[in-house]
């Protein structure tokens, strides 16, 4: 059918502007945990411009706990986000988030360490075991 095209390859990942100067107009910093007016929390991941030539079209992007990355609705031209109901959560919530990330990293490291130990033990066992094929061939010759 004409007019239909399949997407080829992976989508290009657009870089976020993460400098403090880019985030300052929104009133947040990189990795701040914020709560939307609907009560949903997300982590600030940067700013993207809708049109590169117009800085007032900048939008603040957040990553939600589900893994979804999305822009917050108001653009920079709408004003300071805290005036619109977007709030930075308490410092205790930030600490809680950091502890959770550290625990997840620790679990991932333990799993990886176990895999490496098993792999090393397997290689050591293979190296210690004589070549069975060579011995079987010697027995047949005799």
């Amino acid at each position: 059918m004409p007019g239909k095209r399949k997407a080829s390859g992976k989508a290009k990942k657009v870089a976020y502007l993460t400098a403090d100067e880019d985030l300052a107009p929104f009133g947040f910093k990189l990795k701040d945990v914020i709560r939307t007016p609907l009560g949903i929390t997300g982590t600030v991941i940067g700013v993207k411009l809708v049109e590169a030539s117009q800085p007032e079209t900048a939008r603040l992007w957040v990553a939600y706990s589900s893994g979804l990355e999305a822009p917050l609705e108001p653009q920079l031209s709408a004003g300071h986000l805290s005036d619109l109901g977007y709030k930075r959560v308490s410092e205790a919530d930030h600490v809680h988030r950091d502890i959770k990330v550290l625990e997840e990293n620790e679990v991932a490291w333990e799993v990886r360490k176990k895999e490496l130990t098993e792999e090393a033990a397997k290689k050591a066992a293979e190296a210690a075991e004589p070549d069975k094929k060579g011995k079987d061939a010697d027995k047949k010759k005799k």
Side-chain angles (χ1 to χ4, degrees), residues 44-81:
V44 174
I45 56 175
V47 173
K48 283 187 187 177
L49 299 175
V50 175
E51 293 185 32
S53 61
Q54 298 178 341
E56 65 274 359
T57 63
R59 295 182 84 176
L60 186 68
W61 281 67
V62 297
Y64 296 103
S65 60
S66 65
L68 177 69
E69 294 178 359
L72 296 181
E73 190 57 36
Q75 294 184 350
L76 182 57
S77 58
H80 209 269
L81 289 179

Side-chain angles (χ1 to χ4, degrees), residues 71-132:
L72 296 181
E73 190 57 36
Q75 294 184 350
L76 182 57
S77 58
H80 209 269
L81 289 179
S82 63
D83 297 336
L84 301 171
Y86 294 88
K87 304 289 181 193
R88 184 178 188 273
V89 298
S90 70
E91 200 61 41
D93 289 334
H94 282 84
V95 171
H96 179 68
R97 184 238 3 232
D98 293 342
I99 290 171
K100 186 176 178 183
V101 167
L102 287 172
E103 287 173 348
E104 289 170 357
N105 289 344
E106 187 175 322
V107 168
W109 168 244
E110 290 298 325
V111 168
R112 180 66 179 140
K113 189 166 76 171
K114 183 179 177 183
E115 290 171 354
L116 291 172
T117 304
E118 290 172 354
E119 186 178 311
K122 184 178 177 182
K123 285 183 180 180
E126 288 174 358
E129 206 174 275
D131 186 17
K132 290 182 179 180

